[in-house]
Every structure is written in structure tokens, then in C-alpha cells.
Amino acid sequence: MTNDCLSNTTLPQTLQLDGEQLSAFYQPIIALDTRKVVGYEVLGRACKDDAVRSLGPFFCDASVPVEDHIAVDRILREQAFRKIGEIPQPPMLFINLKPNWMHRGVQSGEIYTLSLLDKYRIDPRRVVIEITEESFNGEIEELREIIDLYRSKGCLIAIDDVGSGFSGMDRIALIQPNILKIDIHMLKRSASHDGYLGTLRSLSALADQLGASLLAEGVETKQDLARAIQAGVRYVQGFLFAKAEPEFDEPSRFSVLLEEELEAHRQLQLYSENYWSYLSDRLSGKIDRIGHLEELEDEDNEWIVRLLQELENNSIRVYLCSEDGIQISSNYSRREDGSWRREDEYCGANWSWRPYFVPNVVQLNENRRSMVSRAYTDLDSRAWIRTVSVLVKPGIILFVDMKDPAPDYYRL
């Protein structure tokens, strides 16, 4: 690194360089929609000959004064901004900033990152301010005002490590980020724990509601990538693609890998939806064969009992509702031994609050007698299930909760 890269900043002694040079390295971030590298996260490295070490331990060392952290980070930031300032169509840069650093900048009257935008004539929309750290010494409203300064300039905002301590729902709601970065540990644990998988899926829904995109970091294997795609992410990064390097990569380098995994995901989704479409049509056919629909108003439970022996083995709960959401039958829940338990206490329950109820009622008619909900976790069994809704006669709907098979089932 030449002296020019140091700008006017003096290297702090706490950095303890042994003849090494500070250098900004770049880990690619790939978009699933374009299958191309769209940006890079800027990471600090100390380099000497062929040896490269991460500056992560330095930035995480609580014994190092904050001023030293900021001084080193500014050197790296300027290198990165200078680099993209020389490119006609630069990639996006993801810049890690701790809230307390940002707060100090506002208090001093110098917002260093914004000054670099002007200095190197960079389109602010190419810069993503990645908010890190688990705590902030000021008020959360104050943090939002600081972030709004970057947003008003045109920068995008990302919240890092969603699912960790800092990124609570109140902060996410207040900041309204453009990008949510999934905590690496959540992605890993979702492979073997349904609770983490459910949370991961809920983050995808949260991103949709906020108008944000989901980014999965730490993608190291094809299984991680498949899990990320299943969770609904838009961006991915990790060692499966590349580690951080001093130069930018060819944008289409990972296109083939992504296309293969996206196609595998598409096929899996097709198998799944075809499977559930078959089950719902099959259930409609069984209802027609049983008949006696005119008896439903007076003998709801007896009609369901006739249906129980016809149901698929993965059916775990059956009941009837009127179109206003009121349950008009008892519940019939399957025991572990396969027999059915009648639960009269549910008769009269109102289920119109369930997310799938009203959309189903609106769409169910003579031409579309059955529908299938999205997969969700059952309140009682904690199993992943789907609810099949069937219009058995005008104004009366049958609901059958069924276990959703593991993804590999659909490949059989």
C-alpha cells in the first residue's frame, strides 16, 4: 500500500502491523434474479508478501480505543471508494458501520462516508450502509435520524446479523432497511431445527412487508445455498462462491452454479405443488363418493365420521366451518396409534382470523372446489402442515390439516 492510500489518517499503534500493508478486500454478493455478482462487502486485511490476515480480531477487540477502530476503517473505506470511483459502472459496495461510529461522526460534524461520495463522485445508490454491532449507546430514535442522513443522500441501508441481539424487531421497524442480512448461525441451524427454519421463513415474509430484500451470508455448501433459496433470499454470499479478494470478480462467474440450484428448487416446488394439487382433488372426489351432503346441517359429526376412513395417512385434523368462519362440527384429531379423537370443545370456534380463511372463501366456488394453504407449523403438534379447504356445499367448507412431507419426499 502506498502512502497515498493512507490519506491524512495516521495508523494507530494498537494495530500492531509487522511490515504489513493495510488493504481493502472484497467478498462478492450475488443476486439470484440476475445470477450475477452485484456487489461486494468491504473487509479489512493486513498483507505481507503472500500472507494475508483478517482485521476482524482487531475490530472486535474491546480493549482497542474506538478512535483507533475508526482510523483504520477510514483508511480501508477510502481505498474501496477510490476503487469504484474509477469504474464507469461500479458494483455496489457494502460498508460496515457501527452505530456508535456513525453517532460520533454526526456529533463531530463530519460524516466521512458521505464526504467520500462527493470526493470520488460516486452514485450513492451504489453504496449500502451495513449497520452492525449489538448495542448502541444513544436513543433508538437518534439512531434512526442518523441513518436517515445517509438515506437522504441516496445510500441504501442494510441491517447485519438479523436474528442476533442488535437487530431486534423494534430497530428493524424503525430503521426500515432496504436489505436484511440473515445471521449465519440461523441459516446453519435451520437445516436440522424446524424452529430456526420457521423463523427463517418468517424473515422472508417480514422482508416482503418492509419492501426489503433478504441476503444470506455464510453460504459455504450447496446445501446452504438450497436452504437460502428455500427461505426466499434475493442475495447470497459466502465461501461456496469466493472468499474476500483484493480485486473484483467476473460478474457471471457463478451463474452456472446458481442456475443449477435454482432449477433444482423450481423442480422441487413443482413436485410439491403437484403433489398437493393431487391430494386436494383426491379429497374432493372422496367427498363426492360419500355423498349425503344434504345432511351436513343436522348431522355434521356423523358425516365426518364416514369421511375419516377415507382420508390420507398424513391427515391429522378434520372439521367443518360455515363461510363466516364459525366451526359447525367437532374436531377430529388423529392419535399416534392412527385412531381418531373427537373434540367437542372446538364446535363454535371462530377461525376467520386465520390468514388463509378469507382468501379461500373468496376463491372457492363450483369451478374451484379445493385449495391448499402454504406450509406452516401446527400449533399443537409443532409439525409442518398444510390445510386443504374443500367447498362441500354452498356456505360450508371442510378443512383437513395434513402433515407436509420432507422435501426429499417430492423427489421420489
Side-chain angles (χ1 to χ4, degrees):
M1 181 182 65
T2 64
N3 290 334
D4 179 58
C5 291
L6 297 178
S7 185
N8 295 322
T9 306
T10 302
L11 282 172
Q13 293 183 350
T14 52
L15 184 57
Q16 297 181 348
L17 292 176
D18 183 17
E20 299 163 305
Q21 295 181 337
L22 283 183
S23 183
F25 273 45
Y26 310 92
Q27 186 173 38
I29 293 171
I30 307 99
L32 296 184
D33 48 359
T34 63
R35 288 91 66 208
K36 294 181 179 180
V37 176
V38 294
Y40 295 87
E41 181 174 1
V42 181
L43 300 169
R45 298 291 185 263
C47 307
K48 182 179 181 181
D49 299 327
D50 294 331
V52 178
R53 68 180 175 94
S54 170
L55 294 181
F58 168 77
F59 285 115
C60 293
D61 189 346
S63 68
V64 175
V66 174
E67 292 79 5
D68 290 0
H69 284 159
I70 294 175
V72 173
D73 184 75
R74 285 186 170 188
I75 294 171
L76 299 168
R77 230 182 304 167
E78 179 149 8
Q79 288 185 34
F81 275 68
R82 179 187 293 110
K83 186 177 184 68
I84 68 168
E86 297 170 349
I87 302 174
Q89 295 182 322
M92 298 169 67
L93 275 188
F94 285 66
I95 306 296
N96 295 293
L97 291 180
K98 296 183 179 183
N100 288 324
W101 295 2
M102 301 166 72
H103 188 233
R104 281 171 172 256
V106 171
Q107 287 183 321
S108 68
E110 179 193 16
I111 304 180
Y112 188 69
T113 299
L114 298 186
S115 70
L116 291 178
L117 291 175
D118 296 332
K119 180 177 181 179
Y120 294 107
R121 298 181 179 179
I122 295 169
D123 182 351
R125 294 171 297 180
R126 308 309 298 165
V127 175
V128 180
I129 305 300
E130 194 169 310
I131 312 300
T132 65
E133 195 180 80
E134 292 188 359
S135 61
F136 173 58
N137 294 335
E139 297 292 331
I140 185 64
E141 286 284 352
E142 191 175 10
L143 174 60
R144 184 191 62 79
E145 292 174 1
I146 294 170
I147 290 172
D148 281 347
L149 292 175
Y150 292 84
R151 201 195 308 271
S152 65
K153 186 71 173 181
C155 299
L156 301 181
I157 306 298
I159 291 184
D160 194 15
D161 292 338
V162 171
S164 67
F166 167 73
S167 54
M169 290 301 175
D170 57 336
R171 292 176 173 88
I172 292 175
L174 196 63
I175 293 173
Q176 292 186 290
N178 304 97
I179 296 172
L180 296 174
K181 290 193 74 172
I182 299 174
D183 177 41
I184 181 174
H185 301 296
M186 184 174 295
L187 183 64
K188 298 291 187 185
R189 291 169 181 168
S190 70
S192 59
H193 194 292
D194 284 345
Y196 283 97
L197 177 58
T199 302
L200 203 55
R201 286 177 170 175
S202 71
L203 288 175
S204 177
L206 173 63
D208 287 342
Q209 293 298 313
L210 290 174
S213 298
L214 215 55
L215 189 161
E217 65 176 347
V219 177
E220 299 178 347
T221 66
K222 285 188 176 182
Q223 288 75 20
D224 291 344
L225 177 57
R227 208 70 172 180
I229 294 173
Q230 183 184 2
V233 308
R234 183 181 184 184
Y235 304 112
V236 288
Q237 74 177 108
F239 289 164
L240 175 63
F241 308 103
K243 61 181 182 179
E245 299 288 353
E247 299 298 332
F248 294 155
D249 221 322
E250 200 282 314
S252 299
R253 176 183 169 188
F254 313 107
S255 296
V256 173
L257 170 60
L258 284 175
E259 287 170 358
E260 289 175 351
E261 290 301 318
L262 286 168
E263 177 60 18
H265 174 73
R266 189 182 73 87
Q267 290 293 338
L268 192 63
Q269 292 297 103
L270 283 174
Y271 295 148
S272 172
E273 295 309 312
N274 285 334
Y275 168 80
W276 283 102
S277 177
Y278 163 77
L279 283 188
S280 63
D281 290 344
R282 183 180 169 91
L283 179 58
S284 296
K286 290 178 178 179
I287 290 172
D288 290 339
R289 286 195 298 275
I290 291 175
H292 302 286
L293 300 181
E294 69 282 354
E295 302 175 5
L296 283 180
E297 292 183 2
D298 299 320
E299 302 179 17
D300 305 321
N301 290 327
E302 285 75 6
W303 185 88
I304 289 180
V305 169
R306 290 198 292 269
L307 177 65
L308 292 179
Q309 59 186 347
E310 301 290 333
L311 294 178
E312 306 292 338
N313 291 334
N314 63 333
S315 302
I316 64 171
R317 190 178 298 107
V318 188
Y319 56 99
L320 285 163
C321 280
S322 58
E323 62 183 356
D324 60 2
I326 303 301
Q327 185 165 331
I328 61 174
S329 73
S330 301
N331 263 12
Y332 283 83
S333 298
R334 193 188 291 273
R335 299 186 180 96
E336 291 186 4
D337 63 5
S339 63
W340 292 91
R341 176 177 60 251
R342 176 171 167 169
E343 300 167 326
D344 295 333
E345 64 270 24
Y346 287 96
C347 190
N350 190 329
W351 300 111
S352 62
W353 57 272
R354 298 306 295 263
Y356 57 78
F357 190 89
V358 172
N360 284 12
V361 170
V362 170
Q363 297 182 61
L364 288 173
N365 53 54
E366 292 181 359
N367 296 320
R368 186 176 186 179
R369 288 189 57 200
S370 63
M371 294 186 64
V372 182
S373 75
R374 59 174 176 76
Y376 63 97
T377 302
D378 182 48
L379 295 175
D380 296 326
S381 68
R382 313 305 297 171
W384 281 101
I385 67 170
R386 296 199 191 204
T387 297
V388 180
S389 311
V390 183
L391 181 67
V392 295
K393 64 180 293 185
I396 297 180
I397 304 168
L398 174 74
F399 292 95
V400 181
D401 295 338
M402 298 183 176
K403 288 185 178 180
D404 197 19
D408 285 343
Y409 177 90
Y410 301 118
R411 295 193 176 99
L412 299 179

